[in-house]
């Protein structure tokens, strides 16, 4: 798989993962039923995400996770992440996606979407990540949940082509539960030639804030996916507890 195709595959997962999509609890169902013009705000009793967190607050929470788990490594800060997002459109130049309605996966400007978000990330392993994104308003997350849910319905299966190479992708909903208001989980399977890559992502939304764990590896069986989800749920709950302090 060349760099364009690899970047495209990763960005496809990123598009879905901005808010998460897939199985959802009652909170997400309520959000999807609300009017698109509505701008709901977090309730006064919301423990996490009443307001946007600063980059420093997000970095502190993730540093605590590293310390509590006895993990080496550093927090990837907002300053580090910005160039990665800004370069996404160039990495996707020339990528063609079918069916046509799924072209939004290549044209979506994630950098612009996250322009006002504060973010921080740590590497849980060479392939697994933990990311927090905190937005100015909870209404941004509400809209993303609705948009991504529709996107998943239209693009559960699609193909990407660039430089004469073709990859196939499939996105499946998974069940997950966390202490967040809304929890979504899904598995993205990317196939290129004889190479298959599975990524399981679990996302918890609370008010303005999205906490996401992404795990990549051999996750094709139900048991493997369930184990990955259980690990992600535990980590996300640890982050939510840190943000609540």
């Amino acid at each position: 798989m060349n760099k364009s195709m690899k970047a495209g595959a990763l960005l496809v997962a990123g598009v879905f993962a901005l808010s998460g999509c897939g199985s959802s609890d009652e909170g997400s169902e309520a959000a999807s039923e609300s009017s698109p013009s509505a701008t709901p705000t977090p309730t006064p009793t919301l423990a996490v995400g009443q307001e946007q967190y600063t980059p420093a607050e997000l970095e502190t929470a993730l540093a605590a996770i590293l310390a509590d788990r006895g993990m080496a490594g550093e927090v990837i800060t907002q300053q580090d992440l910005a160039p990665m997002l800004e370069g996404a459109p160039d990495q996707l130049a020339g990528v063609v996606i079918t069916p046509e309605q799924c072209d939004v996966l290549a044209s979506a400007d994630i950098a612009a979407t996250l322009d006002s978000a504060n973010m921080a990330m740590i590497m849980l392993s060479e392939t697994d990540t933990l990311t927090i994104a905190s937005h100015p308003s909870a209404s941004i997350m509400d809209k993303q949940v609705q948009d991504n849910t529709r996107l998943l319905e239209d693009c559960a299966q699609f193909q990407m082509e660039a430089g004469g190479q073709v990859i196939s992708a499939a996105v499946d909903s998974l069940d997950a539960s966390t202490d967040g208001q809304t929890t979504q989980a899904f598995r993205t399977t990317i196939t290129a030639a004889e190479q298959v890559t599975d990524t399981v992502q679990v996302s918890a939304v609370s008010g303005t804030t999205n906490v996401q764990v992404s795990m990549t590896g051999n996750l094709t069986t139900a048991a493997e996916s369930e184990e990955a989800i259980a690990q992600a749920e535990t980590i996300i709950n640890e982050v939510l507890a840190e943000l609540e302090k």
Side-chain angles (χ1 to χ4, degrees):
M1 190 186 301
N2 63 26
K3 291 183 178 179
S4 294
M5 298 298 287
K6 186 177 295 184
L10 292 174
L11 191 54
V12 166
V15 169
F16 284 109
L18 286 176
S19 65
C21 59
S23 62
S24 60
D25 57 18
E26 293 180 358
S28 63
E29 291 174 1
S32 64
E33 292 172 359
S34 63
S35 168
S37 61
T39 54
T41 56
T43 63
T45 58
L46 189 65
V48 174
Q50 291 191 47
E51 297 179 355
Q52 184 178 32
Y53 292 100
T54 66
E57 288 172 327
L58 300 182
E59 292 165 25
T60 297
L62 292 187
I65 298 299
L66 287 173
D68 291 345
R69 287 179 163 260
M71 297 172 57
E74 299 179 352
V75 177
I76 302 173
T77 66
Q78 179 90 9
Q79 184 176 1
D80 297 325
L81 288 169
M84 302 179 191
L85 296 173
E86 291 170 358
D90 293 336
Q91 293 175 337
L92 280 175
V95 174
V96 177
I97 294 183
T98 54
E100 185 176 354
Q101 67 265 26
C102 300
D103 187 59
V104 65
L105 295 168
S107 61
D109 191 347
I110 292 181
T113 302
L114 296 178
D115 183 55
S116 60
N118 293 329
M119 299 183 66
M121 182 176 77
I122 59 174
M123 299 299 299
L124 299 170
S125 71
E126 291 184 359
T127 58
D128 303 340
T129 60
L130 165 60
T131 307
I132 313 177
S134 188
H135 299 263
S137 169
S139 62
I140 296 174
M141 296 307 306
D142 293 335
K143 184 178 186 302
Q144 287 181 353
V145 168
Q146 296 177 55
D147 291 348
N148 284 2
T149 298
R150 288 192 292 267
L151 190 61
L152 178 60
E153 292 173 352
D154 293 339
C155 302
Q157 294 185 350
F158 55 93
Q159 287 189 331
M160 304 176 66
E161 181 176 0
Q165 291 186 310
V166 177
I167 67 171
S168 299
V171 185
D172 301 311
S173 299
L174 301 172
D175 292 324
S177 177
T178 71
D179 295 335
Q181 284 182 302
T182 303
T183 303
Q184 296 95 15
F186 63 97
R187 178 179 53 242
T188 303
T189 301
I190 302 293
T191 303
E194 297 181 356
Q195 180 181 355
V196 178
T197 302
D198 294 299
T199 299
V200 166
Q201 291 168 297
V202 180
S203 174
V205 174
S206 183
T208 63
T209 304
N210 179 20
V211 182
Q212 178 193 293
V213 171
S214 176
M215 296 184 171
T216 299
N218 184 15
L219 305 169
T220 56
T221 69
E224 289 165 341
S225 293
E226 288 172 4
E227 181 179 357
I229 289 172
Q231 294 176 9
E233 290 170 338
T234 298
I235 294 169
I236 287 172
N237 286 340
E238 291 173 4
V239 175
L240 293 173
E242 286 294 332
L243 292 174
E244 190 176 349
K245 292 180 179 179

